Amino acid sequence: FPRRPPRPWPSHFALDDYATRMEREEDGGTTTGMTKMVGTSSRSPFVRADDMDGYPPLRRAQRLSYVIWILVDSTVLNIGLQVQDRQSILEMDSVAVRLKAAQTKLEQISGIIRQVLNEA
């Protein structure tokens, strides 16, 4: 996530708040003391980008096409949809194909949420 995005994040965009909190949180599990939870890909899917000019749109789309599955998979497991096989995601032909597959899965999740809300 950029620290200073070209346009402000929407007020309901929670991921920026989570990343900011994770930057402040520390994990005492290292020998050198405390380690921040953001910016280390082994500990968190969030990595801050200070300069959007050096991070072109195609590169951002490519990263999103892989990272979105971390968020989708955790939601899919909780509502009983089939989880996309990681290998099949890696083998998809292009960024556009991965993003389309993610969009389809998000639409399935949205449909289930709408159904649950209509039943309530």
Side-chain angles (χ1 to χ4, degrees), residues 31-104:
T31 57
T32 59
M34 304 304 230
T35 303
K36 297 293 181 190
M37 298 298 290
V38 171
T40 56
S41 60
S42 63
R43 294 178 181 266
S44 167
F46 301 110
V47 178
R48 292 287 191 174
D50 286 329
D51 181 7
M52 294 307 293
D53 294 333
Y55 204 43
L58 181 57
R59 178 69 177 129
R60 292 194 310 263
Q62 182 183 36
R63 294 245 340 165
L64 176 63
S65 77
Y66 290 112
V67 172
I68 189 72
W69 293 99
I70 295 168
L71 301 171
V72 168
D73 283 355
S74 62
T75 303
V76 165
L77 287 173
N78 288 332
I79 61 175
L81 287 175
Q82 182 179 353
V83 174
Q84 185 82 23
D85 174 53
R86 297 281 167 102
Q87 188 62 40
S88 69
I89 294 167
L90 293 173
E91 292 174 356
M92 288 180 182
D93 292 335
S94 67
V95 171
V97 171
R98 276 190 302 279
L99 289 174
K100 182 64 178 167
Q103 179 183 12
T104 299

Side-chain angles (χ1 to χ4, degrees), residues 10-36:
S11 60
H12 59 280
F13 184 67
L15 291 179
D16 186 51
D17 292 337
Y18 295 145
T20 300
R21 271 189 262 145
M22 289 174 71
E23 281 181 314
R24 286 188 231 128
E25 290 179 14
E26 297 177 340
D27 175 22
T30 66
T31 57
T32 59
M34 304 304 230
T35 303
K36 297 293 181 190

